[in-house]
Amino acid sequence: EAQVTQNPRYLITVTGKKLTVTCSQNMNHEYMSWYRQDPGLGLRQIYYSMNVEVTDKGDVPEGYKVSRKEKRNFPLILESPSPNQTSLYFCASSYLGNTDTQYFGPGTRLTVL
Amino acid sequence: RKEVEQDPGPFNVPEGATVAFNCTYSNSASQSFFWYRQDCRKEPKLLMSVYSSGNEDGRFTAQLNRASQYISLLIRDSKLSDSATYLCVVTRAGRRALTFGSGTRLQVQP
């Protein structure tokens, strides 16, 4: 089954404790992206990647890092999480020639205390 | 000003009603337009693309007015299963990100 998976689905952590949210897709997509969703603000792009070892900032990259060492994986790293990073995070992927149609993972609900 | 603006609702309508949502976008360089559906904080899923010529898919009709920078979605004969948040989405030329509105919530009641 074609899908985008994220882990963990739910996470409660404390300020300053480094964490990684994994994202994996099995559709051989070149393009992958991370979004966060906050009430009243919609989904906002954090980082994206157009292929292995190619990443770039989205609209709200501060406090986040990403890496793209393999085509299927695109982890999101919070080196020192803060309460304002409490949010619902979605990973998405698509073919590079068709980024209009992105497939989303199920979401990760993160709470930073 | 937000790049994509939507009325958050909620729109509470009875089954069988016709309901319309609107969305405005501020960037005239916006290139592609979509409606996504999101159920109860689950992942967004593409509902339909929006073209200037209009686009119909069963009970759903989407329309784009580039001159007014306005997108609409019409749902006819509403079903309980249509209850969800509808997200207006645009892309900009040369930029591969999707830019989302904050969504309009629809609640269809029996």
Side-chain angles (χ1 to χ4, degrees):
Chain A
E1 180 191 352
Q3 59 182 353
V4 179
T5 57
Q6 294 179 225
N7 281 292
R9 295 289 315 280
Y10 303 90
L11 178 62
I12 300 174
T13 189
V14 295
T15 299
K17 186 176 181 182
K18 180 180 178 180
L19 67 93
T20 299
V21 184
T22 65
C23 172
S24 183
Q25 49 91 9
N26 63 359
M27 296 169 277
N28 203 36
H29 286 160
E30 301 91 357
Y31 183 86
M32 297 186 75
S33 181
W34 276 102
Y35 295 86
R36 61 177 288 174
Q37 185 174 28
D38 303 290
L41 295 177
L43 280 85
R44 294 176 292 166
Q45 191 184 50
I46 302 170
Y47 268 95
Y48 65 96
S49 168
M50 290 200 280
N51 218 322
V52 175
E53 302 292 3
V54 180
T55 64
D56 208 345
K57 296 177 180 179
D59 294 317
V60 288
E62 295 78 21
Y64 304 94
K65 285 174 57 176
V66 293
S67 70
R68 187 91 182 271
K69 293 183 170 35
E70 304 165 287
K71 196 172 186 180
R72 63 183 293 127
N73 296 323
F74 189 45
L76 179 69
I77 302 155
L78 285 72
E79 294 268 4
S80 182
S82 62
N84 65 11
Q85 292 178 298
T86 293
S87 188
L88 179 58
Y89 291 87
F90 290 103
C91 179
S93 73
S94 73
Y95 291 112
L96 194 59
N98 188 19
T99 52
D100 287 353
T101 304
Q102 296 187 19
Y103 297 85
F104 284 80
T108 295
R109 187 171 293 279
L110 172 65
T111 300
V112 183
L113 301 174
Chain B
R1 182 184 173 191
K2 291 181 185 176
E3 189 164 342
V4 180
E5 301 236 32
Q6 295 182 249
D7 181 344
F11 284 59
N12 296 305
V13 302
E15 270 187 292
T18 295
V19 61
F21 306 138
N22 301 321
C23 162
T24 57
Y25 61 95
S26 60
N27 191 334
S28 59
S30 297
Q31 188 172 39
S32 302
F33 308 87
F34 310 91
W35 285 101
Y36 273 68
R37 171 190 168 131
Q38 186 175 27
D39 292 299
C40 198
R41 304 297 267 180
K42 293 191 175 178
E43 72 271 25
K45 293 184 179 177
L46 178 65
L47 178 67
M48 59 198 304
S49 301
V50 189
Y51 308 115
S52 297
S53 55
N55 187 21
E56 187 172 318
D57 183 3
R59 296 181 294 108
F60 298 81
T61 301
Q63 194 76 47
L64 166 65
N65 184 321
R66 281 191 184 268
S68 302
Q69 296 184 197
Y70 168 100
I71 303 160
S72 65
L73 176 67
L74 183 77
I75 305 175
R76 289 181 298 278
D77 189 23
S78 299
K79 311 291 185 192
L80 293 176
S81 58
D82 293 334
S83 297
T85 296
Y86 291 83
L87 305 171
C88 178
V89 183
V90 308
T91 64
R92 289 176 240 155
R95 173 105 190 266
R96 297 180 188 271
L98 301 177
T99 302
F100 287 80
S102 53
T104 297
R105 193 155 69 87
L106 171 66
Q107 185 67 46
V108 181
Q109 294 162 338

